[in-house]
Amino acid sequence: QLQASGGGLVQAGDSLRLSCAVSGSTSGNYVLGWFRQAPVNEREFVAAFSRRFGNTYYADSVKGRFTISRDNAKNTVYLQMNSLKPEDTAVYYCALGRWYRVNPSDYDHWGQGTQVTVSS
Protein backbone atom coordinates (compact mmCIF):
# COMPACT_ATOMS: atom_id res chain seq x y z
CA GLN A 1 0.00 0.00 0.00
CA LEU A 2 2.99 2.29 0.44
CA GLN A 3 5.72 2.86 -2.09
CA ALA A 4 8.63 5.06 -1.06
CA SER A 5 11.12 6.37 -3.57
CA GLY A 6 13.54 9.18 -4.24
CA GLY A 7 16.57 8.27 -2.18
CA GLY A 8 20.09 8.58 -3.45
CA LEU A 9 23.66 9.65 -2.85
CA VAL A 10 24.20 13.38 -2.45
CA GLN A 11 26.74 15.74 -0.96
CA ALA A 12 26.29 17.75 2.22
CA GLY A 13 24.17 20.80 1.53
CA ASP A 14 22.30 19.20 -1.35
CA SER A 15 18.59 18.45 -1.52
CA LEU A 16 16.46 15.39 -2.17
CA ARG A 17 12.74 14.82 -2.41
CA LEU A 18 11.30 11.54 -1.21
CA SER A 19 7.90 10.35 -2.33
CA CYS A 20 5.46 8.00 -0.68
CA ALA A 21 2.59 6.82 -2.85
CA VAL A 22 -0.42 5.53 -0.91
CA SER A 23 -2.56 2.98 -2.70
CA GLY A 24 -5.24 0.47 -1.86
CA SER A 25 -8.02 0.74 0.66
CA THR A 26 -7.20 3.42 3.20
CA SER A 27 -9.22 5.69 5.40
CA GLY A 28 -9.05 9.28 4.26
CA ASN A 29 -8.12 10.37 7.75
CA TYR A 30 -4.71 8.83 8.02
CA VAL A 31 -1.41 10.13 9.29
CA LEU A 32 1.55 9.58 6.99
CA GLY A 33 4.80 9.43 8.91
CA TRP A 34 8.38 9.46 7.73
CA PHE A 35 10.95 7.60 9.79
CA ARG A 36 14.59 6.82 9.29
CA GLN A 37 17.00 4.24 10.52
CA ALA A 38 20.76 4.46 10.37
CA PRO A 39 22.98 1.45 11.02
CA VAL A 40 23.13 0.52 14.71
CA ASN A 41 20.42 3.11 15.48
CA GLU A 42 16.79 2.63 16.29
CA ARG A 43 14.16 3.78 13.85
CA GLU A 44 13.39 7.41 14.58
CA PHE A 45 10.61 9.80 13.74
CA VAL A 46 11.35 12.43 11.11
CA ALA A 47 8.09 14.07 10.08
CA ALA A 48 4.39 13.42 9.70
CA PHE A 49 1.36 14.72 7.88
CA SER A 50 -2.19 14.45 9.18
CA ARG A 51 -4.66 14.16 6.33
CA ARG A 52 -7.52 14.62 8.79
CA PHE A 53 -6.37 17.99 10.09
CA GLY A 54 -3.85 19.07 7.45
CA ASN A 55 -1.17 19.47 10.12
CA THR A 56 2.50 18.73 9.73
CA TYR A 57 4.94 17.68 12.41
CA TYR A 58 8.73 17.56 12.44
CA ALA A 59 11.51 16.21 14.59
CA ASP A 60 13.72 18.97 16.01
CA SER A 61 16.68 17.60 14.08
CA VAL A 62 15.04 18.33 10.73
CA LYS A 63 12.85 21.33 11.52
CA GLY A 64 13.57 24.15 9.12
CA ARG A 65 15.29 21.84 6.63
CA PHE A 66 12.66 19.23 5.77
CA THR A 67 9.15 19.93 4.54
CA ILE A 68 6.20 17.60 4.07
CA SER A 69 3.74 18.23 1.29
CA ARG A 70 1.09 16.17 -0.43
CA ASP A 71 -0.63 15.79 -3.76
CA ASN A 72 -4.15 14.63 -3.02
CA ALA A 73 -4.87 13.82 -6.64
CA LYS A 74 -1.94 11.43 -6.73
CA ASN A 75 -2.40 10.31 -3.13
CA THR A 76 1.27 10.93 -2.62
CA VAL A 77 3.12 12.54 0.25
CA TYR A 78 6.50 14.13 -0.31
CA LEU A 79 9.40 14.84 2.01
CA GLN A 80 11.53 17.66 0.69
CA MET A 81 14.93 17.50 2.34
CA ASN A 82 17.17 20.54 2.03
CA SER A 83 20.57 21.35 3.49
CA LEU A 84 21.27 17.68 3.96
CA LYS A 85 23.92 16.66 6.47
CA PRO A 86 25.95 13.47 6.76
CA GLU A 87 23.98 12.63 9.89
CA ASP A 88 20.83 12.47 7.76
CA THR A 89 22.22 9.32 6.17
CA ALA A 90 19.76 6.50 6.78
CA VAL A 91 17.13 4.31 5.24
CA TYR A 92 13.95 6.36 5.11
CA TYR A 93 10.54 4.74 5.53
CA CYS A 94 7.01 5.99 5.19
CA ALA A 95 4.24 4.55 7.31
CA LEU A 96 0.50 4.90 7.81
CA GLY A 97 -1.13 5.45 11.16
CA ARG A 98 -4.42 6.65 12.56
CA TRP A 99 -3.08 9.39 14.81
CA TYR A 100 0.02 11.51 14.99
CA ARG A 101 2.60 9.64 17.04
CA VAL A 102 6.40 9.60 17.08
CA ASN A 103 6.68 5.95 18.13
CA PRO A 104 7.10 3.67 15.10
CA SER A 105 5.06 0.97 16.81
CA ASP A 106 1.98 3.18 16.52
CA TYR A 107 2.02 2.93 12.73
CA ASP A 108 0.27 0.01 11.08
CA HIS A 109 1.54 -0.14 7.54
CA TRP A 110 5.04 0.40 6.26
CA GLY A 111 6.56 0.88 2.87
CA GLN A 112 9.91 -0.44 1.87
CA GLY A 113 12.74 1.87 2.71
CA THR A 114 14.70 4.13 0.43
CA GLN A 115 18.37 4.79 1.10
CA VAL A 116 19.60 8.33 1.57
CA THR A 117 23.36 8.79 1.78
CA VAL A 118 24.89 12.20 2.39
CA SER A 119 28.63 12.49 1.90
CA SER A 120 30.69 15.17 3.61
Side-chain angles (χ1 to χ4, degrees):
Q1 288 187 335
L2 300 175
Q3 182 75 29
S5 60
L9 171 62
V10 297
Q11 293 187 331
D14 286 350
S15 299
L16 275 177
R17 189 178 77 162
L18 305 184
S19 301
C20 182
V22 182
S23 62
S25 176
T26 59
S27 163
N29 295 322
Y30 57 76
V31 170
L32 192 292
W34 283 100
F35 292 81
R36 65 187 181 188
Q37 188 166 18
V40 307
N41 287 354
E42 293 185 349
R43 193 166 294 189
E44 65 173 359
F45 171 78
V46 175
F49 164 70
S50 168
R51 199 170 191 276
R52 178 194 300 264
F53 301 113
N55 294 341
T56 55
Y57 310 90
Y58 300 95
D60 288 343
S61 59
V62 306
K63 204 171 292 183
R65 300 188 297 123
F66 291 11
T67 304
I68 273 192
S69 62
R70 83 281 191 193
D71 184 330
N72 289 334
K74 296 182 179 179
N75 219 13
T76 298
V77 178
Y78 303 99
L79 183 67
Q80 178 68 41
M81 306 186 297
N82 298 330
S83 303
L84 282 163
K85 305 175 180 180
E87 51 263 44
D88 294 319
T89 295
V91 177
Y92 283 71
Y93 300 88
C94 57
L96 279 180
R98 296 184 61 190
W99 305 101
Y100 163 58
R101 296 288 189 272
V102 299
N103 191 329
S105 65
D106 289 314
Y107 290 75
D108 304 312
H109 304 285
W110 291 80
Q112 90 294 351
T114 184
Q115 176 71 46
V116 172
T117 303
V118 184
S119 64
S120 57

mmCIF file of all heavy atoms in Angstrom, residues 22 29 31-32 34 60 70 75 80 89-90 92 98 101 114:
data_model
loop_
_atom_site.group_PDB
_atom_site.id
_atom_site.type_symbol
_atom_site.label_atom_id
_atom_site.label_comp_id
_atom_site.label_asym_id
_atom_site.label_seq_id
_atom_site.Cartn_x
_atom_site.Cartn_y
_atom_site.Cartn_z
ATOM 1 N N VAL A 22 0.517 6.316 -1.716
ATOM 2 C CA VAL A 22 -0.423 5.528 -0.912
ATOM 3 C C VAL A 22 -1.465 4.932 -1.852
ATOM 4 O O VAL A 22 -2.136 5.668 -2.588
ATOM 5 C CB VAL A 22 -1.106 6.397 0.149
ATOM 6 C CG1 VAL A 22 -2.044 5.549 1.001
ATOM 7 C CG2 VAL A 22 -0.065 7.087 1.020
ATOM 8 N N ASN A 29 -8.630 9.613 6.612
ATOM 9 C CA ASN A 29 -8.123 10.371 7.752
ATOM 10 C C ASN A 29 -6.876 9.738 8.345
ATOM 11 O O ASN A 29 -6.777 9.518 9.531
ATOM 12 C CB ASN A 29 -9.208 10.485 8.824
ATOM 13 C CG ASN A 29 -10.384 11.288 8.332
ATOM 14 O OD1 ASN A 29 -10.198 12.269 7.611
ATOM 15 N ND2 ASN A 29 -11.580 10.886 8.704
ATOM 16 N N VAL A 31 -2.636 9.370 9.058
ATOM 17 C CA VAL A 31 -1.409 10.127 9.294
ATOM 18 C C VAL A 31 -0.312 9.403 8.530
ATOM 19 O O VAL A 31 -0.147 8.190 8.644
ATOM 20 C CB VAL A 31 -1.067 10.187 10.789
ATOM 21 C CG1 VAL A 31 0.334 10.762 10.991
ATOM 22 C CG2 VAL A 31 -2.093 11.036 11.532
ATOM 23 N N LEU A 32 0.428 10.137 7.735
ATOM 24 C CA LEU A 32 1.547 9.576 6.995
ATOM 25 C C LEU A 32 2.820 10.041 7.681
ATOM 26 O O LEU A 32 3.091 11.241 7.752
ATOM 27 C CB LEU A 32 1.493 10.033 5.541
ATOM 28 C CG LEU A 32 2.394 9.356 4.503
ATOM 29 C CD1 LEU A 32 3.864 9.664 4.709
ATOM 30 C CD2 LEU A 32 2.181 7.849 4.489
ATOM 31 N N TRP A 34 7.068 9.818 8.269
ATOM 32 C CA TRP A 34 8.375 9.462 7.731
ATOM 33 C C TRP A 34 9.287 9.132 8.915
ATOM 34 O O TRP A 34 9.330 9.881 9.891
ATOM 35 C CB TRP A 34 8.967 10.624 6.933
ATOM 36 C CG TRP A 34 8.391 10.818 5.575
ATOM 37 C CD1 TRP A 34 7.438 11.724 5.198
ATOM 38 C CD2 TRP A 34 8.728 10.083 4.390
ATOM 39 N NE1 TRP A 34 7.157 11.599 3.873
ATOM 40 C CE2 TRP A 34 7.943 10.603 3.341
ATOM 41 C CE3 TRP A 34 9.618 9.050 4.115
ATOM 42 C CZ2 TRP A 34 8.022 10.111 2.025
ATOM 43 C CZ3 TRP A 34 9.691 8.574 2.819
ATOM 44 C CH2 TRP A 34 8.902 9.091 1.793
ATOM 45 N N ASP A 60 12.877 17.768 15.841
ATOM 46 C CA ASP A 60 13.717 18.965 16.006
ATOM 47 C C ASP A 60 14.936 18.927 15.098
ATOM 48 O O ASP A 60 15.401 19.956 14.614
ATOM 49 C CB ASP A 60 14.155 19.092 17.460
ATOM 50 C CG ASP A 60 13.011 19.501 18.374
ATOM 51 O OD1 ASP A 60 11.971 19.988 17.870
ATOM 52 O OD2 ASP A 60 13.152 19.322 19.595
ATOM 53 N N ARG A 70 1.849 17.299 0.129
ATOM 54 C CA ARG A 70 1.094 16.173 -0.432
ATOM 55 C C ARG A 70 0.383 16.609 -1.710
ATOM 56 O O ARG A 70 0.098 17.780 -1.913
ATOM 57 C CB ARG A 70 0.086 15.595 0.560
ATOM 58 C CG ARG A 70 -1.268 16.322 0.650
ATOM 59 C CD ARG A 70 -1.171 17.549 1.454
ATOM 60 N NE ARG A 70 -2.485 18.103 1.768
ATOM 61 C CZ ARG A 70 -2.675 19.317 2.250
ATOM 62 N NH1 ARG A 70 -1.638 20.102 2.468
ATOM 63 N NH2 ARG A 70 -3.887 19.740 2.518
ATOM 64 N N ASN A 75 -2.480 11.012 -4.408
ATOM 65 C CA ASN A 75 -2.403 10.306 -3.128
ATOM 66 C C ASN A 75 -0.946 10.020 -2.765
ATOM 67 O O ASN A 75 -0.576 8.894 -2.396
ATOM 68 C CB ASN A 75 -3.210 9.006 -3.180
ATOM 69 C CG ASN A 75 -3.937 8.751 -1.868
ATOM 70 O OD1 ASN A 75 -4.050 9.625 -1.011
ATOM 71 N ND2 ASN A 75 -4.433 7.543 -1.696
ATOM 72 N N GLN A 80 10.472 16.858 1.286
ATOM 73 C CA GLN A 80 11.530 17.659 0.693
ATOM 74 C C GLN A 80 12.619 17.858 1.722
ATOM 75 O O GLN A 80 12.363 18.383 2.817
ATOM 76 C CB GLN A 80 10.988 19.010 0.230
ATOM 77 C CG GLN A 80 12.033 19.938 -0.352
ATOM 78 C CD GLN A 80 12.584 19.447 -1.669
ATOM 79 O OE1 GLN A 80 11.855 18.953 -2.526
ATOM 80 N NE2 GLN A 80 13.894 19.571 -1.848
ATOM 81 N N THR A 89 22.074 10.590 6.870
ATOM 82 C CA THR A 89 22.223 9.318 6.172
ATOM 83 C C THR A 89 21.469 8.222 6.903
ATOM 84 O O THR A 89 21.664 8.008 8.104
ATOM 85 C CB THR A 89 23.707 8.946 6.053
ATOM 86 O OG1 THR A 89 24.368 9.910 5.219
ATOM 87 C CG2 THR A 89 23.878 7.559 5.453
ATOM 88 N N ALA A 90 20.590 7.542 6.187
ATOM 89 C CA ALA A 90 19.756 6.495 6.780
ATOM 90 C C ALA A 90 18.877 5.894 5.696
ATOM 91 O O ALA A 90 18.793 6.423 4.580
ATOM 92 C CB ALA A 90 18.874 7.061 7.891
ATOM 93 N N TYR A 92 15.156 5.612 4.790
ATOM 94 C CA TYR A 92 13.947 6.358 5.114
ATOM 95 C C TYR A 92 12.724 5.519 4.762
ATOM 96 O O TYR A 92 12.650 4.933 3.681
ATOM 97 C CB TYR A 92 13.924 7.680 4.354
ATOM 98 C CG TYR A 92 14.834 8.708 4.950
ATOM 99 C CD1 TYR A 92 16.219 8.576 4.859
ATOM 100 C CD2 TYR A 92 14.335 9.809 5.634
ATOM 101 C CE1 TYR A 92 17.075 9.503 5.434
ATOM 102 C CE2 TYR A 92 15.173 10.759 6.204
ATOM 103 C CZ TYR A 92 16.544 10.597 6.103
ATOM 104 O OH TYR A 92 17.381 11.523 6.667
ATOM 105 N N ARG A 98 -3.131 6.009 12.369
ATOM 106 C CA ARG A 98 -4.416 6.654 12.560
ATOM 107 C C ARG A 98 -4.292 8.016 13.219
ATOM 108 O O ARG A 98 -5.096 8.918 12.989
ATOM 109 C CB ARG A 98 -5.337 5.765 13.397
ATOM 110 C CG ARG A 98 -5.699 4.453 12.730
ATOM 111 C CD ARG A 98 -6.681 3.688 13.587
ATOM 112 N NE ARG A 98 -7.919 4.441 13.778
ATOM 113 C CZ ARG A 98 -8.868 4.103 14.635
ATOM 114 N NH1 ARG A 98 -8.716 3.045 15.398
ATOM 115 N NH2 ARG A 98 -9.956 4.819 14.750
ATOM 116 N N ARG A 101 1.770 10.183 15.979
ATOM 117 C CA ARG A 101 2.598 9.639 17.041
ATOM 118 C C ARG A 101 4.044 9.657 16.547
ATOM 119 O O ARG A 101 4.298 9.641 15.353
ATOM 120 C CB ARG A 101 2.199 8.190 17.373
ATOM 121 C CG ARG A 101 0.789 8.047 17.923
ATOM 122 C CD ARG A 101 0.654 8.559 19.336
ATOM 123 N NE ARG A 101 -0.647 8.221 19.910
ATOM 124 C CZ ARG A 101 -1.726 8.968 19.785
ATOM 125 N NH1 ARG A 101 -1.665 10.111 19.105
ATOM 126 N NH2 ARG A 101 -2.861 8.595 20.337
ATOM 127 N N THR A 114 13.887 3.585 1.508
ATOM 128 C CA THR A 114 14.702 4.131 0.427
ATOM 129 C C THR A 114 15.947 4.742 1.056
ATOM 130 O O THR A 114 15.863 5.487 2.035
ATOM 131 C CB THR A 114 13.904 5.167 -0.411
ATOM 132 O OG1 THR A 114 14.701 5.613 -1.507
ATOM 133 C CG2 THR A 114 13.452 6.359 0.414
#
